[in-house]
Amino acid sequence: IGVGLVGFGLFFVLFGMLLYFDSVLLAFGNILFLSGLVFIIGFRRTFTFFFQRPKLKGTSFFMGGVLIVLMRWPLLGMLLEAYGFITLFRSF
């Protein structure tokens, strides 16, 4: 279930970007992606990953971007999400 949710989330995000940053598709993709991540690794591990002390800057930008997309400012929200995503997963 989790892999399917993450896959659909990525599909909706990419499709929303192809349709000139459609805010509804981007918001739906973000919600599906985050819920799929919770289904894959569990709520506690997801929470500890996002809220580690060194990763708080990336988490705040990523979650702030999701919130901005939900408030229908898709271009600014996706820019914030991209910066937060790069900051979060820089260690990989």
Side-chain angles (χ1 to χ4, degrees):
I1 292 174
V3 174
L5 287 173
V6 167
F8 278 120
L10 291 175
F11 170 75
F12 279 113
V13 167
L14 291 175
F15 196 58
M17 288 170 63
L18 285 174
L19 291 175
Y20 300 110
F21 293 97
D22 183 33
S23 61
V24 174
L25 290 174
L26 291 173
F28 194 60
N30 286 331
I31 292 169
L32 285 175
F33 178 76
L34 290 175
S35 63
L37 192 64
V38 169
F39 270 99
I40 290 174
I41 64 174
F43 183 75
R44 178 172 290 183
R45 292 179 85 187
T46 304
F47 186 80
T48 56
F49 173 76
F50 278 108
F51 293 103
Q52 292 176 6
R53 183 81 168 139
K55 295 183 180 183
L56 281 178
K57 180 181 175 184
T59 299
S60 62
F61 274 99
F62 185 75
M63 295 299 176
V66 170
L67 184 67
I68 297 291
V69 167
L70 288 173
M71 292 176 12
R72 296 196 176 247
W73 287 69
L75 188 59
L76 178 64
M78 288 306 291
L79 288 173
L80 289 174
E81 281 184 44
Y83 178 71
F85 190 81
I86 290 169
T87 306
L88 275 173
F89 295 104
R90 187 182 322 179
S91 62
F92 284 107

